[in-house]
Amino acid sequence: MLSKSLLDGYWRFRRENHAADKGRYEQLAKLGQAPTALVIACCDSRVDVSAIFDAGPGDLFIVRNVANLVPPFEPDGRFHGTSAAVEYGAEVLNVPNIIVLGHSHCGGIAAYREKLQGKPDGTNFIGTWLTQLDGLEVKDEDIRTFGQETAFELAGIRQSLANLRMFDTVRDREAEGILALHGLHFDIGSGLILAHDPETDAFAPLPETVEA
Amino acid sequence: MLSKSLLDGYWRFRRENHAADKGRYEQLAKLGQAPTALVIACCDSRVDVSAIFDAGPGDLFIVRNVANLVPPFEPDGRFHGTSAAVEYGAEVLNVPNIIVLGHSHCGGIAAYREKLQGKPDGTNFIGTWLTQLDGLEVKDEDIRTFGQETAFELAGIRQSLANLRMFDTVRDREAEGILALHGLHFDIGSGLILAHDPETDAFAPLPETVEA
Amino acid sequence: MLSKSLLDGYWRFRRENHAADKGRYEQLAKLGQAPTALVIACCDSRVDVSAIFDAGPGDLFIVRNVANLVPPFEPDGRFHGTSAAVEYGAEVLNVPNIIVLGHSHCGGIAAYREKLQGKPDGTNFIGTWLTQLDGLEVKDEDIRTFGQETAFELAGIRQSLANLRMFDTVRDREAEGILALHGLHFDIGSGLILAHDPETDAFAPLPETVEA
Amino acid sequence: MLSKSLLDGYWRFRRENHAADKGRYEQLAKLGQAPTALVIACCDSRVDVSAIFDAGPGDLFIVRNVANLVPPFEPDGRFHGTSAAVEYGAEVLNVPNIIVLGHSHCGGIAAYREKLQGKPDGTNFIGTWLTQLDGLEVKDEDIRTFGQETAFELAGIRQSLANLRMFDTVRDREAEGILALHGLHFDIGSGLILAHDPETDAFAPLPETVEA
């Protein structure tokens, strides 16, 4: 049986949120989805992706895994969940945007840092999953500007952006101008988002308006 | 550059939602997360997990992949993102609940049904990812009660619940009474949730209150 | 040959607006539309519907005719363009909202008022089109509050809302809670929007936030 | 109550767009409109007429109906919304241009093609509205050059141009040199516009500059 808080939460959703937006949900059920972005985010409970973009039903196609990682392109890898989602988002849903959304206090990235410091690495799946980060290139400049913890998280975002570009379908669409890649880092405490600038390879706070 | 709608959405979140809940976000940043459940959901943009449980920051640790699948336990499999998240949820975060949240109109499950009907299966990652469903046991009774589309989606949820129980850590915690597993199916159009009853193995609408 | 201003405008759109949003346009071309609202607006060049709701491509299905009128339900009427659009919006696109968007300084409504004052009515099509307004019920209270010109425009909006409810498809969807009807009046000079309150049948300025 | 996204959109418009252009809006409210063109466009949410011509308030008088059709001249037809708008544009507003703006992926034109292929036609209003297309003359050359879907859309534009010339007021003004008719076809995905050449009766991409 579901716990009371989850069950009550569902009935509040059903009677208020879903009821108020019922027409939109029925329309989406009948016509299908055409989300504006694919977001690769962490499983972390403090990162509510829809809330962060104030997005409604149908707006965001969201993959969530530990540490918001995109594995390198490996067509023979088994059960590549994130790669399948990237393919689905790009080729089936034709999303115009892919966002890698990292965040502060990331337990996955922290586990990788601890491994570097000689702590025993996670056994089984977590450890294997995080081997993707082996050899992560952390920038000295980021360490100086943002501190070591954040610098590792930013490096993870850069690596996922690079891995996304190993997919032909991503690279081709980006070259054609119909797909844009974004690297963002969300600070849980302050709400600040740093955005990756592809020209300088640096991260800086999101501006308030779209620049010309 | 982020599109205007995403950027505007972020600033609404930052100024309204995050500002209103800033104390909670700061607390979560300092103390870490202790979510009440791990939810395995689909990437589908029409399934907003936090909204469905009216959950706030810190409440739900969420994995999202195509068709909300838990792969079978395979310790040597590379880059097993979902398995790593299950392990993290159970062993690091000690979540008391794991929810497999399926949904109506699932494109991943539909692709598997089409493959059964002889249509060419998805190439590359999507096709490989969905081979997890090969041999899926769909119940005649579900087909009669809910129709074929839903019956396949329910079968997928049952399989993921079974695969979760291949993890020692999950099985042990369940036996100890400190972890409960739930299989739920969300209907996008109506908002109805069907819940899996472990005693009868059948699905029925969620009750309004927790039974004694 | 197109005039220079139209041609230049198109190339600005093509090189800036469409290029910046090219992925979204390609996605919409491939996946089709699922607009959030059907808007019935006037042809008036001063009423830019997409601008008024800051809407992007794919957001609004827009019918525009002289004086934003919905004709009464007459299944045998020939070439009922607006009725066809209402049917398409409700039954094919399953829009969750229909908005009748009137506006200040409406030439169509003014022509009807002038006819009441004994001026010769428009010949041909305009005159025939505006016979829909014959017998329009203008509220004294609106005349007192907003002046005669606006009061006629508000009466036209009320009549179109009533005519919309002559469509079974509209009435049934509204009863089911999956379609909401809205009557709005846009003041060109000030930008103010008055909204129709279905409970009181009165118009009042749009609030800043959605009330609970 | 308006949905949050529509309400938020309005307040962004009011505070940014309308505020920035307030003088122009006040002027237009006081002096009336003098638009540079009457545009007959489809209701389709992916065709934002003002955006396509980068037009501001007061620039374009816009009729929108399903499939951007101009019905044949029939003075006794009841409630001929589009004909009334044509008359209003030509005789009241003296527009120097009328543009028939078709587009790719048109659901109305597609419904007509499906009817030709034996599929049951739309009931009620949509079906009646589309009987205007019965006997549509599609050019073999267009099918060869642009494919069948586009060729039907181009044929619809030619027919609407011909129907416009059934109006004395349109024909006379064109002969007098004070009104120009244009047939354009907008491709949603690429943004390309094909323009009808009255001399050759063929469609070709819009040039970058006005030819001498």
Side-chain angles (χ1 to χ4, degrees):
Chain A
M1 194 58 208
L2 270 190
S3 66
K4 186 173 183 312
S5 71
L6 289 165
L7 194 62
D8 286 352
Y10 165 64
W11 284 107
R12 284 197 305 276
F13 162 74
R14 180 81 180 277
R15 289 186 184 125
E16 295 162 25
N17 178 316
H18 192 279
D21 230 0
K22 201 179 167 196
R24 176 66 172 154
Y25 277 105
E26 287 233 346
Q27 180 189 41
L28 286 167
K30 281 181 185 140
L31 302 189
Q33 60 179 328
T36 193
L38 156 64
V39 183
I40 296 141
C42 186
C43 302
D44 194 296
S45 64
R46 300 165 294 180
V47 179
D48 184 343
V49 183
S50 299
I52 288 173
F53 296 104
D54 196 24
D59 288 347
L60 301 176
F61 185 80
I62 304 171
V63 192
R64 295 181 70 164
N65 61 40
V66 173
N68 45 271
L69 300 180
V70 177
F73 183 82
E74 290 184 324
D76 298 329
R78 287 203 66 201
F79 298 156
H80 244 315
T82 300
S83 305
V86 168
E87 201 178 79
Y88 195 92
E91 297 185 5
V92 178
L93 298 177
N94 292 278
V95 292
N97 295 286
I98 299 182
I99 298 170
V100 176
L101 178 65
H103 68 100
S104 65
H105 310 289
C106 182
I109 300 287
Y112 170 70
R113 280 203 300 140
E114 286 166 4
K115 189 176 80 169
L116 289 190
Q117 291 158 6
K119 296 203 186 158
D121 61 347
T123 52
N124 299 332
F125 295 106
I126 303 171
T128 308
W129 176 249
L130 295 178
T131 58
Q132 291 178 69
L133 290 169
D134 286 347
L136 186 68
E137 292 176 43
V138 183
K139 291 203 170 190
D140 288 341
E141 195 191 319
D142 284 348
I143 295 177
R144 280 193 302 271
T145 312
F146 303 110
Q148 199 179 65
E149 187 180 325
T150 303
F152 270 73
E153 292 158 354
L154 299 182
I157 295 169
R158 276 196 200 89
Q159 174 178 299
S160 286
L161 289 171
N163 286 348
L164 278 171
R165 291 193 174 94
M166 291 175 73
F167 289 72
D168 281 349
T169 189
V170 169
R171 215 171 41 239
D172 291 352
R173 282 159 199 267
E174 199 184 20
E176 219 188 311
I178 60 171
L179 173 62
L181 266 56
H182 311 278
L184 303 179
H185 178 276
F186 172 65
D187 184 80
I188 293 170
S190 68
L192 180 79
I193 285 188
L194 298 173
H196 180 250
D197 181 333
E199 289 184 26
T200 62
D201 203 30
F203 278 83
L206 265 188
E208 303 226 353
T209 52
V210 178
E211 286 156 33
Chain B
M1 195 58 209
L2 269 191
S3 67
K4 185 174 180 311
S5 70
L6 289 165
L7 193 63
D8 286 351
Y10 165 64
W11 284 106
R12 285 197 302 276
F13 161 75
R14 179 83 182 275
R15 288 180 187 132
E16 295 163 25
N17 180 316
H18 192 280
D21 229 359
K22 204 178 167 195
R24 175 67 172 152
Y25 276 106
E26 289 225 349
Q27 178 193 43
L28 286 167
K30 281 181 186 141
L31 301 191
Q33 59 178 331
T36 191
L38 156 64
V39 184
I40 296 139
C42 185
C43 303
D44 195 296
S45 65
R46 299 165 296 180
V47 179
D48 183 343
V49 183
S50 300
I52 287 173
F53 296 104
D54 196 25
D59 288 347
L60 302 175
F61 184 81
I62 304 170
V63 191
R64 296 182 70 162
N65 62 39
V66 173
N68 44 272
L69 301 179
V70 178
F73 183 84
E74 290 183 324
D76 297 331
R78 288 200 64 200
F79 298 154
H80 245 316
T82 301
S83 305
V86 168
E87 201 178 78
Y88 195 93
E91 298 186 5
V92 179
L93 298 177
N94 293 278
V95 291
N97 294 285
I98 300 181
I99 298 170
V100 177
L101 178 66
H103 69 101
S104 64
H105 309 288
C106 182
I109 301 288
Y112 171 69
R113 280 202 301 140
E114 284 168 5
K115 190 176 79 169
L116 290 189
Q117 290 159 9
K119 296 202 185 158
D121 61 346
T123 53
N124 299 332
F125 294 107
I126 303 171
T128 307
W129 176 248
L130 295 177
T131 59
Q132 293 178 66
L133 290 169
D134 285 347
L136 186 69
E137 292 176 42
V138 182
K139 291 204 170 188
D140 288 342
E141 197 191 319
D142 284 350
I143 295 176
R144 281 193 301 272
T145 311
F146 303 110
Q148 199 179 65
E149 187 179 325
T150 304
F152 270 72
E153 291 159 355
L154 300 181
I157 296 170
R158 277 196 199 88
Q159 174 179 298
S160 286
L161 289 171
N163 286 348
L164 278 171
R165 292 192 174 96
M166 291 175 73
F167 289 72
D168 282 349
T169 187
V170 169
R171 216 172 39 243
D172 292 352
R173 281 158 201 268
E174 200 184 17
E176 219 187 314
I178 59 171
L179 173 62
L181 266 55
H182 310 277
L184 303 179
H185 178 276
F186 171 64
D187 185 80
I188 293 170
S190 69
L192 181 78
I193 284 189
L194 298 173
H196 180 251
D197 182 334
E199 290 183 26
T200 62
D201 202 30
F203 278 83
L206 264 188
E208 303 226 355
T209 52
V210 178
E211 285 156 33
Chain C
M1 195 57 210
L2 271 189
S3 66
K4 185 173 183 311
S5 70
L6 289 165
L7 194 62
D8 286 352
Y10 165 64
W11 284 107
R12 284 196 304 276
F13 161 75
R14 180 81 181 275
R15 289 183 185 127
E16 294 162 26
N17 178 316
H18 192 280
D21 230 0
K22 200 178 168 195
R24 177 65 173 155
Y25 277 105
E26 287 233 346
Q27 179 190 43
L28 286 167
K30 280 181 185 140
L31 302 189
Q33 58 178 329
T36 193
L38 156 62
V39 183
I40 296 141
C42 186
C43 302
D44 194 296
S45 64
R46 298 165 297 181
V47 179
D48 184 343
V49 183
S50 299
I52 288 173
F53 295 105
D54 197 25
D59 288 346
L60 302 176
F61 184 80
I62 304 170
V63 192
R64 295 182 70 164
N65 61 38
V66 173
N68 45 271
L69 300 179
V70 178
F73 183 82
E74 290 184 324
D76 297 332
R78 287 201 66 200
F79 298 154
H80 246 316
T82 301
S83 305
V86 168
E87 202 178 79
Y88 195 92
E91 298 186 4
V92 178
L93 297 178
N94 293 278
V95 292
N97 295 287
I98 299 182
I99 298 169
V100 176
L101 178 66
H103 68 100
S104 64
H105 310 289
C106 182
I109 300 287
Y112 171 69
R113 280 202 300 140
E114 286 167 4
K115 188 176 80 170
L116 289 188
Q117 291 158 7
K119 297 202 185 159
D121 61 346
T123 53
N124 297 332
F125 295 107
I126 303 171
T128 307
W129 176 249
L130 295 178
T131 59
Q132 294 178 67
L133 290 170
D134 286 347
L136 186 68
E137 292 175 42
V138 183
K139 292 204 170 190
D140 287 342
E141 197 191 318
D142 284 350
I143 295 177
R144 282 192 301 271
T145 312
F146 303 111
Q148 200 180 64
E149 186 179 327
T150 304
F152 270 73
E153 291 159 354
L154 300 181
I157 296 169
R158 277 196 199 89
Q159 175 180 297
S160 286
L161 288 171
N163 286 348
L164 278 171
R165 292 193 173 96
M166 292 175 72
F167 289 73
D168 282 349
T169 189
V170 168
R171 217 173 36 243
D172 291 353
R173 281 160 200 267
E174 198 183 19
E176 218 188 312
I178 58 172
L179 174 61
L181 266 57
H182 311 277
L184 304 178
H185 178 276
F186 171 65
D187 184 80
I188 293 170
S190 69
L192 180 78
I193 283 189
L194 298 173
H196 180 251
D197 181 335
E199 290 184 26
T200 63
D201 202 31
F203 279 83
L206 265 187
E208 302 225 355
T209 53
V210 178
E211 286 156 32
Chain D
M1 195 58 208
L2 270 191
S3 66
K4 186 173 181 311
S5 69
L6 289 166
L7 194 63
D8 286 352
Y10 166 63
W11 284 107
R12 285 198 301 277
F13 161 73
R14 180 82 181 276
R15 289 182 185 129
E16 295 162 26
N17 179 316
H18 192 279
D21 228 1
K22 204 179 167 195
R24 175 68 172 151
Y25 276 106
E26 289 225 349
Q27 177 193 42
L28 286 167
K30 281 181 185 141
L31 301 190
Q33 57 178 329
T36 191
L38 156 64
V39 183
I40 295 139
C42 186
C43 302
D44 194 297
S45 64
R46 300 166 295 181
V47 179
D48 184 343
V49 183
S50 299
I52 288 173
F53 295 103
D54 195 25
D59 288 347
L60 302 176
F61 184 81
I62 304 170
V63 192
R64 296 182 69 165
N65 62 40
V66 173
N68 44 273
L69 300 180
V70 177
F73 183 82
E74 289 184 325
D76 297 331
R78 288 201 65 200
F79 297 152
H80 246 316
T82 301
S83 304
V86 168
E87 202 178 77
Y88 195 93
E91 298 185 4
V92 179
L93 298 177
N94 293 280
V95 291
N97 294 285
I98 300 182
I99 298 169
V100 177
L101 178 66
H103 69 100
S104 65
H105 310 288
C106 182
I109 301 288
Y112 170 70
R113 281 202 300 140
E114 285 167 6
K115 190 176 80 169
L116 289 189
Q117 291 160 8
K119 296 202 185 159
D121 62 348
T123 53
N124 299 332
F125 295 106
I126 303 171
T128 307
W129 176 250
L130 295 178
T131 58
Q132 292 178 68
L133 290 169
D134 286 347
L136 187 68
E137 291 175 44
V138 182
K139 291 203 170 188
D140 288 341
E141 197 192 317
D142 284 350
I143 295 176
R144 281 193 301 272
T145 312
F146 302 110
Q148 200 181 64
E149 187 179 325
T150 304
F152 271 72
E153 292 159 354
L154 300 181
I157 296 169
R158 277 196 199 89
Q159 174 179 298
S160 287
L161 289 171
N163 286 348
L164 278 171
R165 292 194 173 96
M166 291 175 74
F167 289 71
D168 282 349
T169 188
V170 169
R171 215 172 40 243
D172 291 353
R173 281 159 201 267
E174 199 183 17
E176 221 187 312
I178 59 172
L179 173 62
L181 266 56
H182 312 276
L184 304 178
H185 177 275
F186 172 65
D187 184 79
I188 293 170
S190 68
L192 180 78
I193 284 190
L194 298 174
H196 180 251
D197 181 335
E199 289 183 26
T200 63
D201 202 30
F203 278 83
L206 265 187
E208 305 225 355
T209 52
V210 179
E211 287 157 30

